[in-house]
Amino acid sequence: EIYTLSLHDALPISIVLMVFGSEGAGVSDELRAACSRVLRIGQYGSTRSINVAAAAAVAMHAWILQHGGPAPD
C-alpha cells in the first residue's frame, strides 16, 4: 500500500495521536482503519523504510515546528 499524502504536505492539526508501527508488520488493518490519516515520510535513495524510532522523531519534530512555538530558554 502506498500512502500519497506526505507528512510535510499534510494540513497541520494541533491535537494529534500519532501511531507508529514496526518496520516489518507495521500496524494492524483494524488500527489503520481507525486512523483519520495515514501519512508517509518522504525519503531519498532506495531505502523504503526507516527505523520506527527515527520515524517517530521526524514526525514529532515536524509537529513541533508547526505547533510548539519557540523553545523555552
Side-chain angles (χ1 to χ4, degrees):
E1 188 170 346
I2 297 173
Y3 306 106
T4 58
L5 187 59
S6 166
L7 170 67
H8 296 288
D9 293 334
L11 294 175
I13 298 174
S14 61
I15 299 174
V16 299
L17 170 68
M18 296 183 187
V19 175
F20 301 94
S22 66
E23 292 179 61
V27 297
S28 68
D29 292 338
E30 181 179 60
L31 180 56
R32 187 179 300 118
C35 295
S36 61
R37 295 184 190 189
V38 179
L39 306 176
R40 67 176 172 78
I41 297 172
Q43 301 176 67
Y44 292 101
S46 62
T47 302
R48 296 191 184 253
S49 69
I50 58 175
N51 175 281
V52 68
V58 168
M60 288 185 275
H61 181 72
W63 187 91
I64 287 291
L65 288 177
Q66 294 177 356
H67 302 288
D73 290 334

